[in-house]
Amino acid sequence: MTLRDTLLRRSGAARGGLLVFACSALWPGPALEAQDPARADSVVSLGELIVSALRSPTSVGEVPVNVTTVTREELRLSAAQTLQDVLQEVPGLNFRFPFQAGVAHPSWQAVSLRGLGGTAASRTLVLVDGVPLNDPYFGWVRWSQVPVEVIERIEIVRGGATVSWGSQSLAGVVHVITRSGGEGGFSAGAQGGSQSTFRGDAMASFGGDRVGGYVAGEFFDSGGYILTEPGQRGAVDIPSASSHAALRAKVEIAAGDRLRIHAQGNYFDQDKDNATPLRNNTTEAGFGQIGATLTGAGRSTLTFNTFIQTQTYMNSFSSVDAARNSEQPSISQDVPSSGVGANLVWAGRGFTLGADVLRATGDATEQYLFQDGAFARQRETGGDQTLFGLFGQSWIQLGDRWQLSTGGRFDVWRNSAGGRHIFETADGNVLTDKSFEDRSGTHWSASTGVLFDAADGVVLRGSLYNGLRVPTLNELYKPFRAAGNVVNESNEALKPERVSGAELGVDLQPNPSVLIRLTGFWARVSDAITDVTIQEAETSGVIQPCGFVPAGGVCRRRDNVGTLRSLGLETEVEVRPAPAWLLAVNHQFNPTEVTDAPGRPDLIGNEVQGSPTHRAMLRVGHIDPTTLEVVATARYLGARFDNDLNTGEIDGSFPVDIRLRRQLTSRLSAFASIQNIFDTIAEMSHDANDFVRVGAPRTFVGGVRVRFSG
């Protein structure tokens, strides 16, 4: 076992009534010998393997990039209620607008790493057991699809991962690994609290010599809160209520000594009110996966997976007057889409070969131009996209101290059947009938990395990489309107983004209770896709290519703006002064800016929208499950800009959360949390016309969980 193995494995190391009961149950009493912490195997063990970086079972000591593992213990200690809440505590991970998942519009939930964000399309690939969670049409992520209770661990690979995972992973990978059946059991939880919030979940797992798996479900309902900044609220501003149901199942079968078959499926249904009476959206989504792994001679493996994603997204939007006292419908959207994919991966001793393919298709039907009580026009857009890749990777030991890894990938992409059709709803008169030219291309990507066991307690690592991201169907073909009368035009001529990057890091362990990780990084994104401002409307009128833009609104268009540069330093420190005490701190310094913008010199030097220069997290906790567990977490999110012109500055914020948990019996536990304990008003977005949305106020949640082991 290498020193790096040791270092990284240690680092991984009814509503109101429910709240009242949970808080009273947490009152200190005699410690219990029986307890229900996360199971022993839920903390990253000494033999832990990760799969995200090299796409095959790989020891953490063989990965020359910065990998963070969030374990089940850390999920238990966090005050986070959703997967998105958990990830906001990870250094280097950004959300376009970091609202809670329960109130956020889907387009606000795009994720990226190391400052490479800024649009609704994620530059980061999000996987659940190897299946993409990114929407096949839009590219964004619906985080509530994955109940926290089913998660075994989360692996975050920062930096380009396109050699392993292809076009969608330009900035990195977030891989959610769900639990296996183990020996079987049952768990259920219920919680309630502020904003009339209720969440209930249950999970039944089963396991034996040949078959294991689980069935899990979650229901969530919340009245939400008013997103508009208090000083700007009017009669149309209402709480952003939300409800969803999720059902998930997984089965693993040992069909012999060498063959394992696995299958899983997910169903998700969500309804959201988006801050005014006429704004709402619904999502119905599902996926299915089936695959098999064959173990050969020398413990080599051949793994095949195939999957399908389907979703129907419906959205209604409105135009709000300047005083925010009245609104009228502006657009109604219906967007069905699907993705079908497959991959084949062979992994042997020190080598991996594979191929993957993904085909996405989607069509958007939109009614707009509301006149005399009805929509006057209908627009139909859509297209198909196919991504195919071949890849190979190897890693070798060079003596006792050095390890080298290399990889290469060949990608083929094709956009086809794109079109835009607009007609009058009253008489069917055709206004626009465009079929866009099919486009395709190829790209070679490569990566190389090195590890050096420099001395006792010191490991150095470094890597170089390049890759690409193909624009989503949404970016290519579908225009949209946003709050603040922002009109954003699509661009069927978008080119793929290309990234080149490097990182250099050191892992230090001066003694067994202290771990320090420092990582410096640099990345350059060429032909970067962003929402480029064309003109701000002083009076109502037509601005090309957006069409009609109301007074005070903005016309923007998706474009390959030029070059973005991201550089920075990630610092992570964990101290265990005693077995029951934890101190953890991380900080990211990451100024990301536009360094080249042909035809738009006014954008050069501007910060990338939605990307703060500073992010930090501090966690202090008493984590002995035999007594009252108390964990406090403070997060700092620095100032950032809401648009390409850097005219809408979002103020920095510093919320503090606290979570308490107590084991009542060997099977029953109670917990309570307070998010934003000081009731800080935190800006989440700040439009060019100074319209501001804010994060959640102080929020109380309490609940109970029962667990029966097999």
Side-chain angles (χ1 to χ4, degrees), residues 36 149 186-190 665 667-669 704-708:
D36 184 28
E149 179 63 14
F186 175 81
S187 68
T665 72
R667 294 175 175 173
L668 180 66
S669 61
V704 293
R705 177 163 298 281
V706 62
R707 193 184 304 275
F708 299 89

Side-chain angles (χ1 to χ4, degrees), residues 242-317:
S242 174
S243 65
H244 72 253
L247 182 65
R248 190 175 192 88
K250 178 179 179 180
V251 62
E252 298 170 318
I253 303 171
D257 294 336
R258 299 173 55 195
L259 179 64
R260 296 188 66 85
I261 300 171
H262 56 269
Q264 62 176 315
N266 184 83
Y267 174 77
F268 179 72
D269 185 78
Q270 183 178 60
D271 293 284
K272 284 188 174 182
D273 295 332
N274 290 326
T276 73
L278 296 182
R279 297 179 182 179
N280 56 77
N281 68 78
T282 63
T283 299
E284 187 174 11
F287 86 84
Q289 177 203 32
I290 187 168
T293 298
L294 179 66
T295 302
R299 306 304 296 173
S300 64
T301 60
L302 181 66
T303 301
F304 172 76
N305 282 292
T306 184
F307 61 87
I308 182 171
Q309 304 166 279
T310 63
Q311 71 107 24
T312 300
Y313 171 70
M314 303 181 70
N315 181 61
S316 297
F317 203 74

Side-chain angles (χ1 to χ4, degrees), residues 431-451:
L431 304 175
T432 300
D433 189 8
K434 289 184 179 179
S435 293
F436 301 124
E437 181 181 359
D438 293 353
R439 300 169 62 224
S440 61
T442 61
H443 188 271
W444 284 96
S445 303
S447 66
T448 185
V450 64
L451 290 171

Side-chain angles (χ1 to χ4, degrees), residues 12 65 75 99 145 187 208 260 306 311 425 470 489 613:
V65 296
L75 293 171
F99 293 93
Q145 285 183 252
S187 68
R260 296 188 66 85
T306 184
Q311 71 107 24
T425 56
V470 179
E489 183 60 45
T613 298

Side-chain angles (χ1 to χ4, degrees), residues 26-335:
L26 290 166
W27 191 260
L32 295 174
E33 292 183 6
Q35 56 201 266
D36 184 28
R39 290 182 342 207
D41 63 353
S42 69
V43 179
V44 178
S45 66
L46 294 178
E48 185 65 47
L49 302 178
I50 59 173
V51 298
S52 299
L54 299 181
R55 204 161 180 171
S56 63
T58 307
S59 168
V60 290
E62 298 172 338
V63 181
V65 296
N66 193 0
V67 179
T68 295
T69 302
V70 180
T71 68
R72 282 185 59 201
E73 180 192 32
E74 291 167 311
L75 293 171
R76 179 171 60 90
L77 298 176
S78 173
Q81 303 298 310
T82 66
L83 174 57
Q84 181 181 4
D85 294 339
V86 172
L87 294 175
Q88 292 196 59
E89 300 171 358
V90 174
L93 193 148
N94 301 319
F95 289 93
R96 187 185 184 206
F97 301 123
F99 293 93
Q100 292 178 337
V103 301
H105 188 276
S107 65
W108 303 346
Q109 297 178 286
V111 62
S112 194
L113 292 160
R114 291 180 172 169
L116 299 179
T119 69
S122 297
R123 289 188 173 108
T124 297
L125 175 63
V126 181
L127 302 160
V128 180
D129 293 333
V131 178
L133 194 62
N134 302 71
D135 186 286
Y137 183 88
F138 293 101
W140 60 49
V141 178
R142 294 176 176 85
W143 299 98
S144 299
Q145 285 183 252
V146 187
V148 172
E149 179 63 14
V150 306
I151 298 173
E152 181 67 29
R153 67 183 185 275
I154 308 167
E155 301 167 359
I156 300 100
V157 182
R158 303 176 187 84
T162 54
V163 167
S164 298
W165 292 102
S167 166
Q168 296 170 296
S169 58
L170 179 142
V173 172
V174 175
H175 196 173
V176 180
I177 312 297
T178 67
R179 297 164 60 182
S180 60
E183 297 180 355
F186 175 81
S187 68
Q191 57 184 278
S194 302
Q195 304 158 21
S196 299
T197 297
F198 173 79
R199 184 190 304 271
D201 66 79
M203 177 176 177
S205 59
F206 54 94
D209 293 338
R210 293 289 183 180
V211 181
Y214 67 77
V215 177
E218 178 182 86
F219 175 77
F220 171 84
D221 184 76
S222 176
Y225 68 95
I226 299 176
L227 274 61
T228 304
E229 192 272 331
Q232 298 180 340
R233 292 173 185 171
V236 301
D237 292 298
I238 63 172
S240 291
S242 174
S243 65
H244 72 253
L247 182 65
R248 190 175 192 88
K250 178 179 179 180
V251 62
E252 298 170 318
I253 303 171
D257 294 336
R258 299 173 55 195
L259 179 64
R260 296 188 66 85
I261 300 171
H262 56 269
Q264 62 176 315
N266 184 83
Y267 174 77
F268 179 72
D269 185 78
Q270 183 178 60
D271 293 284
K272 284 188 174 182
D273 295 332
N274 290 326
T276 73
L278 296 182
R279 297 179 182 179
N280 56 77
N281 68 78
T282 63
T283 299
E284 187 174 11
F287 86 84
Q289 177 203 32
I290 187 168
T293 298
L294 179 66
T295 302
R299 306 304 296 173
S300 64
T301 60
L302 181 66
T303 301
F304 172 76
N305 282 292
T306 184
F307 61 87
I308 182 171
Q309 304 166 279
T310 63
Q311 71 107 24
T312 300
Y313 171 70
M314 303 181 70
N315 181 61
S316 297
F317 203 74
S318 68
S319 295
V320 178
D321 73 332
R324 303 195 61 79
N325 288 322
S326 65
E327 62 176 336
Q328 70 171 14
S330 62
I331 196 166
S332 177
Q333 303 171 324
D334 185 359
V335 189

